[in-house]
Amino acid sequence: MAAVAATQEWSLRQRRGSAAGGSQRAARSAEARPDFVDGSIVRIFMKNFLTYDVCEVCPGPNLNMIVGANGTGKSSIVCAICLGLAGKPSFIGRADKVGLFVKQGCLKGVVEIELSKTPDNIIITREIQVVNNTSTWFINRKPATLKTVEEQIAALNIQVDNLCQFLPQDRVGEFAKLSKIELLEATEKSIGPPEMYRFHCELKNFREKERELENLCREKTKSLEKMRQRVERYKQDVERYHERKRHLDLIEMLERKRPWVEYENVRQQHENVKQNRDQAKEELKNLKELQSPVTKKIKEAEEHFKILDMKMRDKAAEIKHISQKCKQKQDALEMKGKQIEEIHQALRMKKDEEIDRRRKIHDTHKMIEDWKNELNTMAVSENLQAQIDAVNNELKKLQEERANIDSDISDLTAEKMNQEREKKRLIDRLGQLNNIMNMKEENLKGRFRDTHSALMWLRKNKEKFKKKVCEPMMLEINMKDNRHGKYVESHVSANDMRAFVFESKEDMEMFLVEICDHQKLRVNAVCAPAQSCAESLPSRPIEELHRYGFFSYLRELFDAPHPVMSYLCSQYRVHDIPVGTEKTRNMIERVIQETKFRQIYTAEEKYIVKVSAYTNLTLCTNTSLRAAQFLSSSVDTDERRQLENQQQDINNTLKSLDMRLTTLFERQKHLERKDNELRQQKKELLERGNKRKQLESKIGVKYDSLKQLEQGAINLEEESQQANVKIKEINTQKARLVTELMDLIKTCISLNVVKADLALQSTTVSAEKNRLESEYKAASVQLAAAEQRFHELDDMKRVLTENCKELLKKARQVCKLSLDQHLPKEFQTAFQALPTTLEEIDAFLNEEKTRASCFTGLNASVVAEYTKQTREIQQLTEYLEKKKNELDDYRQKISQVKEKWLSPLKKLIEQINEKFSSFFSSMQCVGEVDLHVENEEEYDKYGIRIRVKFHSSTELRELTPYHQSGGEKSVSTMLYLMALQELNRCPFRVVDEINQGMDPMNERRVFEMVVKTACKESTSQYFFITPKLLQNLTYNDKMTVLFVYNGPFMLEANKWNLKSFCRRRRRLGKMDEQ
């Protein structure tokens, strides 16, 4: 049960199970409450809403202080105001569904708000259904739609979604996050005249329309210019088209005359050919009569020539036979000469062979003599076997040592390959783990690009920081099991998940100045506690909680660097948050009652438990867990550390193996050199023992060779005599062959003389025959030429006849005349002005065609296109003129609306700045409010800039979510709202627990300003919610203080009598004085 007590001007009633007091009260007349401005809250009624069964609150017209301990239901009144005035649940920041605001265990909740209005107040009722999460609306107890309710609220200038008017507890920090543009719009809506925000919207719309029209006019102007250029080109094309048409007409007339000229020329040729053909026919007849006598003489000459030719062939055969015999005799003579030469050659070869044999005998004698001298000088071979055995023993030992070294090298090489394979496996596994980290970084880059940019800067500049700086928690936190990532993400806020963690505040300040001020990035940063909390112990061992289904505390589910873990233990108490299973969920009521934990996780849900300090009632809310977004992939740090250690060990082992192998390879080279030296020594010893035997063997072989040479001597005199006998016999045979050859030559000469006489006679006959044939041939050529000329002329006459017919027909067709129609006079007249010969016509025609061909790409459509483009230019010019006039109108409107909007806005901001600066000056601080303008023409970029300075050593700095502390942001927010209070046209303002982050001095100063400002006559209603107040504060008679009580021994609301309580208190005071 909860109760609210009021002092001075109003009372509050609460009943359990009944809503008679609030639900049956009729709308009160505004005249009964003259201090309330239109839109102020006269009464708030709640039934089955959050912590209340039934409760009715009647606030005062000025400052309303709602005071009570945490958990008693102060913020429930704020939620009732927001939801009762058509606000969305998301704006309160507590839940996303309106059904969650109904008291646990109830199916329906009611919120009723009575607003002051002239002449009659308005009662807005909202019934909330839990089952289907819907709401039913009533205005003055009559059903209404949400749209009607919103219209009524808007008419009273109530804006529960405006942070300048309605600032819930869970959204206090968001005021500092408002951008300059958002703050200007919220201020315009809150305190500006009704038309100010409308003018601002009109300016933005007009500017957008002006920009569109400027772009349109620019584009259309360019299009118009292009069209004009194109039409200018079309104009030239049209002129060229007409010029081309004149040339084409002339070409047509020339082409009509040309067939007639051709016909006339061919007809004249036909007459001439006909005369020439008749003359050729007569000439051919005379030539045939003169050719007969010559033919007879040619035949007689041919018969005489054949007889002479026969005789010549017979003599030629005899000459050929005798010539062959002469050739045979000449060949025989040449053969005999060759035989003599061969005999001389064989004798010379015998002489050369004998000379060579004698030289070899001399050389062999000399070589044997030299070897005998060398053998005589050589000493007797000493005993070398002992030295050879010693060398063999050393070689054997050397081979054994080399075999051992080869075996060691093989073993070490195999071990090195195994180590390298293991190293490659470790590198691959580390690469997989690094890929997971890269995936987490890509996730960070995709979601929070500014944070990723800051991370890149941090990695390059870590040496600038005095102490350790941890990267964003979402990268540093490493889940031992990916399935548990949802617990950590549900427990740790998203802002902290992407926050950098510092061990030093100086480092954090330097980081924020660089990133936020210089690079203009939006990032989060936190500082770990000075005293580490990473090793904090839970309130009880986890073994005691196994019976409830808990298997671990949240801290044990992940690994993180020491500063991150310390911050999470300090801020989120992850070391004392248990995580359970479905078993925990099934027995959740028992778990909550027996374990007394404030936060509990089950398999798929999160439970938050609150206990009222007065009634000792337990309130529990549960939410479903969402799948992890940032911690869905993790790296086993133990495995990674173990892999890195193993990699280091392997590197050391490989280094040791390389050193041992180097030593063995050097020893192996040394043994190889020594082995080569021993083998060379052994070779020299063996050669010294075998050299004498080799010399004796060589001398024996040479003696055998010398004996063979001496036995092979040649008798040169005998060989010379045999050769002379053979040559004499061959010369006798040559003399006989020469005599026979001379007889044959004489016979051949006599036959050639007879043949020459016959050839002379044949030549005479042949010359006569050739003369006759030449005469006949000349006559035949002349006859053939006459016949050919006759046939040609005859064919030409026939062809010309046909050509005349075709050309006449073609000429008539070109002129479109019938077969019996004569050439019209207009054609005859036109033809007279044209050339008369084909050459002149063709030349003129080619000239005209050449001129016409210069006008390429032209046709009749160019004239139509020129006309069309001219018409489109006219239309576009008129359209562009219209749009320019429209643009001028918009610019005039912008100028007029800007004057109406900007001057009042500047005055309004000057008033706000005056109040705001005054409030800050009273606190020995500095604050300014100004209109921030980047470009005077960009009305959507106008904004309000708040700059504050809380320390004399610092400069004015813009109010942002990052630069100021929580208390400084709360003071700045409160003083800005107070600056709006006296200027405010909204009927009421709600501020919930904004003084929580302030130090006592600032809280006292702010409270005095609130009382002074909110209790003036000209100000509207003000709700200030706080769980505590400082002692000895200054109060005002127009204040209304509302105390919210909660506990099991609380007096029932219908029995509470404030006046009786005050009388009894005064009576007890008098008794104490006596």
Side-chain angles (χ1 to χ4, degrees), residues 356-372:
D356 185 58
R357 183 185 68 82
R358 292 174 182 176
R359 182 181 55 77
K360 287 182 179 179
I361 290 172
H362 177 268
D363 293 341
T364 302
H365 279 295
K366 184 178 180 181
M367 190 177 295
I368 291 172
E369 187 67 26
D370 293 339
W371 284 348
K372 283 182 178 181

Side-chain angles (χ1 to χ4, degrees), residues 10 347 462 473 553 888 906:
W10 60 275
L347 182 60
K462 281 194 174 182
M473 293 188 195
Y553 284 108
D888 292 338
K906 289 181 177 179

Side-chain angles (χ1 to χ4, degrees), residues 298-314:
I298 290 173
K299 288 181 180 180
E300 291 175 353
E302 285 178 353
E303 289 296 331
H304 189 200
F305 180 79
K306 286 179 180 179
I307 293 170
L308 292 174
D309 185 61
M310 186 66 67
K311 292 179 180 180
M312 289 175 63
R313 287 178 183 176
D314 293 339

Side-chain angles (χ1 to χ4, degrees), residues 20-38:
S23 61
Q24 297 175 5
R25 178 178 299 179
R28 290 173 288 184
S29 172
E31 295 178 358
R33 306 298 296 269
D35 294 334
F36 286 93
V37 299
D38 284 357

